[in-house]
Amino acid sequence: MALESLGKALNAALKKLARAGSVDEVLIKEVVRDIQRALIMSDVNVKLVLDLTKKIQKRALEEKPPAGVSRREHIIKIVYEELTNFLGKEAKPIEIKEKPTILLTVGIQGSGKTTTVAKLARYFQKRGYKVGLVCSDTWRPGAYHQLKQLVEPYSIEVFGDPNEKDAVRLAKEGVEYFKHKGVDIIIVDSAGRHKEEKSLIEEMKQISDAINPHEVILVIDGTIGQQAYSQALAFKEATPIGSIIVTKLDGSAKGGGALSAVVATGAPIKFIGVGERIDDLEPFDPKRFVSRLLGLGDIQGLLEKFEELSKAQELKEEDLEKFMRGKFNLKDMYAQLEAMSKMGPLKQILQMIPGLGYSLPDDVVRVSEQRLRKFKVIMDSMTEEELEHPEIINYSRIKRIARGSGTTVKDVKELLEQYNQMKKFFKSMNKRSLNRMMKRLGMGGFGI
């Protein structure tokens, strides 16, 4: 069960509470069983699941809701609190205290370490830091060229020498090189190891002694599930300044198992990889993560993404407000979807909106970059009047647009259907909940 499936299962369990005529012991136990099933299907350790759900059930049956809070709302709060505690309570960011801050990454081969190094560099670059990367991976052919290729579009420099066989020497020389260049952060990418924690830890110690990093980061593959425990534990025992990034959580059937296994060691998870794009790396905040997982949204995360786009002048507040009210035409739709696609997959973005993510039909959000490109070509063949008033597009216009864009009648109809579905969905949203959401986004609201 991927994390999205886990989220849907947990969300479905909570919806039982919302739909029930009354909340009694039978219903509470049924909801707890659903939560148990969802977590076990996501490869979370059975003992941990039983301990967690026992706490949820005990509190749900015994605690009295505070004044003004319904029993349903109180139980949802209990589930949220216990899941958050289960995954580590507080966010623990990587601190950039001095210039340059040196970060060393280690990981088992195939964990996605090199890609994660590129993502981490991009994450810090977007926050105004000048980053230099050192490739000291002398084991894997092509590691240097892969890293260079990943960050080249963002003008992030990589130091390395594919012909050098001494990883420690490469690391030292790379760090010295970037110190002279005056960068803010130096990230050293070490060689991956073949499922052997001892040799990984040994190389980490050798390179660490040579470059004296401020923080050592272990990259763990989220698809290994509960096996993440032994890697995280060995790492935690070997370094007092360690942090962990869990990768490949976007489609992993074992993502919940990997996260819970790492948390069980007491090692701090600082980032999670949630997609293949270079921007798909998120700071791990248990509160925000659980909130999204339960379908309760992540307004803070959404605001941060909007802020990034606003700084790049790719998303205007008035355009977004028009979109959210369902008062947009084809030209508006394309502009907003294109802007949102730069924030990440549309489904991930919409899951940040409270109560919205898991209620959206898949047809509404299945807008891939490939389809967006096709939609743009189709819209390039439309007149200004058609773009601003899509309702005038009849069958003869559809045939003309298809011929002009080199697409099919079916493709043009698909674009129009997508537009109508999105417009209908946003118009049908509960105005009060939309109003609250827009106010939290600093966008005024409907005045009701």
Side-chain angles (χ1 to χ4, degrees):
M1 182 186 281
L3 283 180
E4 185 183 319
S5 301
L6 171 61
K8 282 184 176 177
L10 292 172
N11 188 247
L14 295 185
K15 278 184 177 174
K16 277 189 180 178
L17 284 168
R19 291 171 182 156
S22 62
V23 179
D24 56 16
E25 185 175 340
V26 174
L27 177 64
I28 289 170
K29 287 182 175 178
E30 188 181 334
V31 167
V32 168
R33 275 196 302 274
D34 288 347
I35 293 170
Q36 276 179 357
R37 196 176 300 115
L39 292 169
I40 289 170
M41 289 286 286
S42 190
D43 198 44
V44 180
N45 180 276
V46 174
K47 184 181 181 303
L48 293 177
V49 172
L50 293 176
D51 288 345
L52 168 68
T53 50
K54 199 180 288 181
K55 287 178 188 172
I56 292 172
Q57 184 167 303
K58 187 173 189 298
R59 287 186 61 190
L61 290 172
E62 294 178 2
E63 286 184 15
K64 287 186 178 178
V69 176
S70 71
R71 198 172 183 198
R72 286 185 185 84
E73 290 169 335
H74 188 58
I75 292 170
I76 290 171
K77 182 172 180 281
I78 288 169
V79 173
Y80 166 76
E81 286 175 352
E82 291 300 336
L83 276 171
T84 300
N85 291 341
F86 180 65
L87 288 177
K89 294 184 184 177
E90 298 295 332
K92 295 169 183 170
I94 290 177
E95 295 182 351
I96 309 300
K97 287 184 175 177
E98 55 185 274
K99 182 178 173 179
T101 291
I102 302 168
L103 307 174
L104 170 63
T105 62
V106 296
I108 298 293
Q109 200 170 70
S111 60
K113 181 171 55 60
T114 299
T115 305
T116 299
V117 167
K119 288 180 176 183
L120 193 59
R122 175 67 177 146
Y123 173 85
F124 285 122
Q125 183 194 54
K126 285 193 296 184
R127 280 146 187 81
Y129 294 104
K130 189 176 179 185
V131 186
L133 299 181
V134 179
C135 180
S136 67
D137 186 344
T138 57
W139 288 73
R140 187 167 64 87
Y144 169 75
H145 296 293
Q146 182 195 357
L147 187 56
K148 200 170 167 59
Q149 190 176 20
L150 284 167
V151 298
E152 210 161 28
Y154 308 99
S155 302
I156 297 170
E157 190 176 358
V158 181
F159 177 94
D161 179 358
N163 299 315
E164 176 61 66
K165 298 302 176 192
D166 187 338
V168 177
R169 181 178 173 181
L170 262 179
K172 276 184 77 172
E173 288 179 356
V175 167
E176 287 306 312
Y177 172 81
F178 282 119
K179 278 183 177 178
H180 291 301
K181 296 274 285 191
V183 302
D184 302 308
I185 300 168
I186 302 169
I187 306 174
V188 180
D189 181 21
S190 66
R193 283 291 181 264
H194 290 281
K195 298 187 178 180
E196 175 56 66
E197 283 100 22
K198 287 181 182 175
S199 60
L200 184 145
I201 297 297
E202 185 53 41
E203 184 185 69
M204 179 195 79
K205 286 180 176 174
Q206 288 177 12
I207 295 180
S208 189
D209 289 343
I211 65 172
N212 194 26
H214 295 84
E215 191 149 342
V216 184
I217 302 167
L218 174 66
V219 179
I220 288 182
D221 183 339
T223 65
I224 67 173
Q226 295 178 45
Q227 294 174 46
Y229 182 87
S230 62
Q231 285 183 30
L233 189 61
F235 176 73
K236 180 179 180 255
E237 289 171 351
T239 172
I241 49 168
S243 58
I244 287 177
I245 297 177
V246 182
T247 65
K248 306 178 190 176
L249 289 179
D250 51 320
S252 169
K254 298 185 174 185
L259 284 175
S260 58
V262 173
V263 170
T265 68
I269 301 173
K270 297 201 175 172
F271 287 92
I272 52 174
V274 292
E276 295 177 3
R277 298 160 67 255
I278 198 162
D279 292 308
D280 293 337
L281 184 75
E282 293 184 0
F284 182 63
D285 183 331
K287 290 179 180 176
R288 285 161 60 171
F289 179 82
V290 170
S291 185
R292 256 188 283 173
L293 202 60
L294 296 177
L296 304 175
D298 176 10
I299 288 296
Q300 188 57 40
L302 193 60
L303 285 171
E304 287 169 8
K305 286 183 179 287
F306 284 152
E307 195 177 340
E308 279 178 26
L309 281 181
S310 297
K311 282 179 182 174
Q313 295 186 326
E314 292 185 17
L315 189 65
K316 292 178 183 173
E317 187 178 295
E318 58 269 25
D319 292 337
L320 181 64
E321 184 171 347
K322 183 164 58 173
F323 192 78
M324 296 305 293
R325 290 174 188 266
K327 295 182 177 178
F328 56 92
N329 55 34
L330 276 172
K331 194 188 283 187
D332 298 324
M333 184 184 92
Y334 184 82
Q336 295 312 313
L337 288 179
E338 191 173 43
M340 282 184 171
S341 72
K342 291 175 183 173
M343 295 161 66
L346 187 60
K347 189 144 195 160
Q348 281 183 21
I349 301 307
L350 294 175
Q351 279 173 0
M352 292 180 170
I353 300 172
L356 187 56
Y358 299 122
S359 64
L360 278 172
D362 284 344
D363 288 346
V364 174
V365 292
R366 204 181 292 128
V367 185
S368 65
E369 288 177 14
Q370 188 177 359
R371 285 179 76 198
L372 272 179
R373 283 195 293 270
K374 187 187 282 185
F375 287 172
K376 177 68 162 66
V377 171
I378 292 170
M379 284 191 279
D380 284 341
S381 290
M382 292 181 181
T383 65
E384 196 70 21
E385 186 184 18
E386 286 167 344
L387 287 170
E388 291 179 358
H389 303 283
E391 64 277 4
I392 70 170
I393 301 176
N394 55 23
Y395 188 67
S396 62
R397 287 177 185 261
I398 287 173
K399 284 200 294 186
R400 190 208 81 237
I401 293 164
R403 278 197 308 273
S405 60
T407 59
T408 65
V409 166
K410 184 183 175 186
D411 291 330
V412 180
K413 284 183 174 178
E414 184 185 15
L415 165 61
L416 295 172
E417 188 181 344
Q418 183 81 54
Y419 164 74
N420 287 324
Q421 280 182 328
M422 293 191 78
K423 200 172 176 71
K424 185 179 176 183
F425 175 80
F426 283 111
K427 274 187 174 177
S428 68
M429 279 182 70
N430 180 281
K431 282 196 172 185
R432 289 190 181 277
S433 61
L434 184 57
N435 187 48
R436 285 196 298 271
M437 184 196 75
M438 289 174 70
K439 281 182 176 175
R440 292 187 72 180
L441 288 171
M443 288 164 49
F446 289 107
I448 57 175

